[in-house]
Amino acid sequence: MDVYISGVGMTKFGRSKDPLQKMMAEAASSALRNAQLERVDAIYMGVMSVEEFVGDSNFATLLADTLGLTGVPSTRVETASSTGAGAFEAAFYAVASGHMRHVLVLAGEKMTHLPTAKTTRILSEVIDRSERRYGATMPALAAMIAQKYAQQFNLSSLKLEDILAQVAIKNHSNGYFNPYAQFRKTITKDDYLKSQMVSYPLRLYDCAPITDGASAIVLTSEPAPIKVSGIGHATDTAAVRHRASFTSFNSTKEAAQKAYTMAQLNPSDIQFAEVHDAFTLFEIIGTEDLGFFPTGEGWKALEENMTQLRGSLPINPSGGLKARGHPVGASGLAQLVEIVYQLRGDAGEERQLERAEVGLAQSIGGLGNNNLVTILERADRKRIVKVGTTRDREGWTLDYHPEIKVSKKSSTPPPSEGVGTLETFTTLYATPEGFRSPLSLAYVRTEAGEVVMACNPDYHSPKELKMGEKVYFKTREGLYVFEKLTLWSRLKHRIKGPAKST
Amino acid sequence: MDVYISGVGMTKFGRSKDPLQKMMAEAASSALRNAQLERVDAIYMGVMSVEEFVGDSNFATLLADTLGLTGVPSTRVETASSTGAGAFEAAFYAVASGHMRHVLVLAGEKMTHLPTAKTTRILSEVIDRSERRYGATMPALAAMIAQKYAQQFNLSSLKLEDILAQVAIKNHSNGYFNPYAQFRKTITKDDYLKSQMVSYPLRLYDCAPITDGASAIVLTSEPAPIKVSGIGHATDTAAVRHRASFTSFNSTKEAAQKAYTMAQLNPSDIQFAEVHDAFTLFEIIGTEDLGFFPTGEGWKALEENMTQLRGSLPINPSGGLKARGHPVGASGLAQLVEIVYQLRGDAGEERQLERAEVGLAQSIGGLGNNNLVTILERADRKRIVKVGTTRDREGWTLDYHPEIKVSKKSSTPPPSEGVGTLETFTTLYATPEGFRSPLSLAYVRTEAGEVVMACNPDYHSPKELKMGEKVYFKTREGLYVFEKLTLWSRLKHRIKGPAKST
């Protein structure tokens, strides 16, 4: 059964004094009013860490009650930072099954009331447990991915810095026009450069902020102007170190493949997209993973202004997570609310896109390991169906064939000591509760080819380290510690091999 | 699209040294083996308070990875203590929509590793926030419901005690034969009477235990011997005090009505059921709410041995939550695993029921505010369709017309002081972290007819209080405190009215 969107709503994102259920009720009321409905058949409700952020559980029930929808079935859905998109997906199937007619999807998070170090610790719980023990945070992992991306595609650190700054500048510029955005100010490259280093090379302006907010959508089986064309969802190995590629996300690629197939659309059919820019580089990687631009070239499209509001493929017209804000549970659904505003022509004069008949949202859960891709379309859009060969989809061929490098975890545990190369690294300044700052973290590739996380609190600057250089690693109190391989460390640890250090 | 069950599995419930993901992987492997599948299209995964019990989030991803199903979409679902049933429902819609062929539903919880007072505190977070501030726990609320049930249906405290004991004795007797049960021992009335008072009148043997465990089911759109016939889900006002009835659950009744309607079955068609006996009396109330027995007479059916393993309508052949154990996230799905074992004739000689072609499971979330009813059936069962009048279900009529008393919350706040009647009360001995024991808690009905929660730590025995008696209540430090209305308290608080105390 086809599924349509009959109502959307959201709160202004930012710092709010309201309790979470009140914010969510506000978003829900807007969406229900917009859909001209007073009651629904079910509620699917997304919150990521409500127990830890606000200390409540049984939140699905609490919300139904708060909304005055007592009695209505209410289910909480969670897929880490893609939770809003996950709730949308579950609700989509409920309507698509024919068992439900009108379903309210609701997502939110309240985060700003806690100290930043505590929020950082809660957010870090999505990370693989063994990496968390090193003090790894989401920005630290994203920073290591950024370093690797620059190395892999031959970008100097100045070039990388410029690309990241341009993403932040673009998204802040879009957010300036979005009445729901947390930050309604434009920024300059100078502002970017002055912003605090969070985890080298990522600055504060590379990271989506800590935000309160809620968003809501009403799904219906009754024909309405906006249609849900495709949904795809995929996971990946929780730990980045186990992945075959550090600079793209299999979970986006697999989710996109499913969404395009369900929608019978190709990347070239997509007119605009909301891409999960929790970290600036993730927008670039996202546009590559989604098949909009070739691998390693997403930044060129940015440089050529293609992804600007008036470009040929606008990315994050809302301002993205960067400027609209990132209440972790709500963002995945807020992206879809933005797509609906654009498809309806309701985005406001400055932000409204010229071509807005089909839009896509990509949402990332955890460090790229629970991702969803959703495609929405105007129901009145005339489809130009291509001639193709796919058996069960006559007249349509999927043009999207991303390279999916499947990770192969080694079955033997890595050695407790040895020589390896610095696959990538970061110096983390904003450490979580209980960790000294700064903290240098690295992925070290052992001689057998496995990757281990390692730390060294004595390297206080990223300038002390170099991508690809040889290091010595050793377990100490259950953690790997690394140091640069010098003549002295060779002698100390009795390492054989060429006398000359790399 | 019709939905079938192709595989089930579960761990032995009890105290386990394994981490949660290992237990869940064990249950999942059994279910996948049972379904003869290696891969599925999606995972729906239920855990209630994984962040607080084990300190992980992003658990849906972690599990896909642990199961060796990296890449497969994985979504966490939560509906408080009915989570396992909630995950099953979400997965059901995914398959029913036609978008998924094989879906793994997985549910679990790890609880025994924490101190009991901490576990009690975590479990209490499902309770309405304002009631939690009084130190109210799930057993305390259930105890107040038990007192009310006895008063409403004219049962002496000795009679109530005997009924509750008989539920515990029956379920322990069933659990004795269940290899997956936490407690495989029969108990006597004497054992029951000797067990510690948790919250008067509920003893340890009235409460489901703290348990580790996991359960799993594979749903498929390909015809298989067991079919999902009906699912219903409903919520209710979070706080019991706002409900029109304290002795039945609207959320069960509404969920049952939906499940019977979807299945085109009536309560009289159900041959056996798993009923959420988190507290012994809830089994009695459940059998009434589900339409098996008239309101206030569920205990008579128990006395007449109808609900025994060899009775006409066996209830909790598995041993129920009481004896099988209650890992909060897993129970709702474990009930369905038991129904499948029975429908397949795989329950083992002692436990296998004679009539097992259609079974029902009822799962309670929170204090009866997020409930699900699921009906499973042998696909080869010959349906005797009744002649009826329901328009869109020709030849079938729903015989089930439960009385649903909708709660009416007052819009004016209750007075800060006044005289009221003791609607129901309990003396709580097992208090949560940070509360003195014993603690007397009550629902006091004000003269305007509203109900407030009130406490008094100075009544150390339930014998000091009487249902329905007049009390004086007053707010102190933001909480209502109550005391018996004596001549002395009348004078002290200058209460007008008849000089004679009730």
Side-chain angles (χ1 to χ4, degrees), chain A residues 1 21 39 41 44-45 47-52 54-62 64-66 69-80 86 89-90 92-100 122-129 132 233-239 242 254 258 262 365-367 369-370 407 409, chain B residues 1 21 39 41 44-45 47-52 54-62 64-66 69-80 86 89-90 92-100 122-129 132 233-239 242 254 258 262 365-367 369-370 407 409:
Chain A
M1 187 164 272
Q21 62 266 38
R39 211 155 168 93
D41 298 319
Y44 283 81
M45 193 274 295
V47 280
M48 181 174 126
S49 298
V50 68
E51 291 84 356
E52 296 181 286
V54 306
D56 275 311
S57 67
N58 199 8
F59 211 71
T61 305
L62 181 63
D65 212 12
T66 306
L69 295 176
T70 310
V72 172
S74 185
T75 303
R76 181 236 189 137
V77 172
E78 183 258 318
T79 56
E89 187 201 23
F92 168 83
Y93 291 128
V95 177
S97 75
H99 289 286
M100 305 267 179
I122 295 173
L123 295 175
S124 300
E125 281 170 12
V126 305
I127 298 173
D128 177 69
R129 189 181 272 261
R132 230 187 296 158
H233 183 178
T235 57
D236 198 355
T237 287
H242 290 142
E254 291 193 33
K258 290 176 197 171
M262 191 193 289
L367 212 294
N369 47 41
N370 202 329
S407 58
K409 262 188 259 184
Chain B
M1 186 165 272
Q21 62 265 38
R39 208 152 171 97
D41 300 317
Y44 284 80
M45 192 275 294
V47 280
M48 181 174 126
S49 298
V50 67
E51 291 85 357
E52 297 182 285
V54 307
D56 274 311
S57 66
N58 199 9
F59 211 72
T61 305
L62 181 63
D65 213 12
T66 306
L69 295 176
T70 310
V72 172
S74 185
T75 303
R76 182 238 189 136
V77 173
E78 182 258 317
T79 55
E89 186 200 24
F92 168 83
Y93 292 128
V95 177
S97 75
H99 289 285
M100 305 268 180
I122 295 172
L123 295 175
S124 300
E125 281 170 12
V126 305
I127 298 172
D128 177 68
R129 189 181 271 260
R132 231 188 294 156
H233 183 178
T235 57
D236 199 355
T237 286
H242 290 142
E254 291 192 33
K258 291 175 196 173
M262 189 192 293
L367 212 296
N369 47 41
N370 202 329
S407 57
K409 263 189 257 185

Side-chain angles (χ1 to χ4, degrees), chain A residues 79 82-90 107 231 329-333 335-336 363 372 374:
Chain A
T79 56
S82 59
T83 284
F88 184 90
E89 187 201 23
I231 294 190
S331 285
L333 197 63
Q335 293 179 318
L336 295 168
S363 185
L372 288 108
T374 310

